Amino acid sequence: MGNLNFSNTIANSPTKRVKKGEVLVRNGELSEAFYYVEKGCLRSYTIDSKGKEHVLQFAPEDWIISDKESLMNNGLAILNIDAIEDSEIKVLKKPAEDDFSKFDAESLMQMNQKLLRRAYSLQKRIIQLLSASAEERYMDFLKLYPGLAQRVPQKMIASYLGITPEGLSRVRKQLVIKK
């Protein structure tokens, strides 16, 4: 058997259509796949003890999203993942540990680049949540997710930024005044 190619693996996986609001992963359940977004947008989030949602990540086109805790440790998911738009995704089943060795070098590099991009954005996001102003966090959101501000409900963006929807409205107004 020859080496596997990541792009071919994505291309050869069947496309699944998911409706807005459809849940792909639930907190407390086993998750055995990651999702490559061809069209639309997914999000991962958690819900605290008071019922408040906290958005961890958005996954627009060409992003991969998963509950890494469940995938890597064969444990129960700590996140929820759902579609925030009607979407077309590739469901990529978790390979067995030794299956990664079957990928060719270029595919491993592609996977690594996507993982590094995600790790970098998470690290930067944590630092920003600790030290950046709401305006700075919003500006970074716009850079990281170009065009997503027009596609995602304001309350989800506010949750991602760690502010209230009213706080996000103030930030947006301040930016318009500055222009």
Side-chain angles (χ1 to χ4, degrees), residues 8-149:
N8 287 342
T9 300
I10 290 174
N12 293 329
S13 296
T15 297
K16 179 179 179 177
R17 287 176 173 71
V18 292
K19 293 284 186 195
K20 178 180 178 178
E22 186 173 334
V23 178
L24 301 168
V25 174
R26 286 188 200 285
N27 176 305
E29 296 180 359
L30 187 63
S31 175
E32 298 180 331
F34 53 102
Y35 307 94
Y36 174 81
V37 180
E38 290 187 308
K39 181 180 175 190
C41 189
L42 306 180
R43 70 172 172 152
S44 64
Y45 62 99
T46 186
I47 302 173
D48 68 21
S49 61
K50 296 177 183 173
K52 183 177 177 186
E53 290 183 2
H54 301 276
V55 176
L56 180 67
Q57 175 189 1
F58 293 105
E61 292 81 5
D62 196 35
W63 280 66
I64 291 176
I65 191 168
S66 69
D67 184 302
K68 290 154 198 70
E69 173 68 22
S70 184
L71 283 174
M72 301 309 291
N73 296 322
N74 295 317
L76 300 179
I78 59 174
L79 298 171
N80 300 288
I81 298 175
D82 67 9
I84 55 176
E85 296 177 337
D86 289 347
S87 301
E88 295 178 9
I89 62 172
K90 299 286 189 169
V91 179
L92 305 162
K93 295 292 183 188
K94 174 189 169 188
E97 286 182 36
D98 62 343
D99 282 349
F100 281 111
S101 66
K102 296 177 184 174
F103 282 100
D104 62 36
E106 182 180 335
S107 295
L108 289 171
M109 183 95 94
Q110 288 175 2
M111 285 188 278
N112 192 44
Q113 286 173 342
K114 287 187 182 298
L115 287 172
L116 285 174
R117 177 176 76 172
R118 181 66 194 133
Y120 171 72
S121 68
L122 279 173
Q123 176 180 308
K124 189 174 178 184
R125 181 154 180 249
I126 290 167
I127 291 168
Q128 285 191 327
L129 285 171
L130 294 172
S131 62
S133 70
E135 183 177 319
E136 291 167 328
R137 293 194 308 268
Y138 181 64
M139 295 302 293
D140 190 65
F141 167 83
L142 295 175
K143 287 179 194 166
L144 181 62
Y145 298 115
L148 207 55

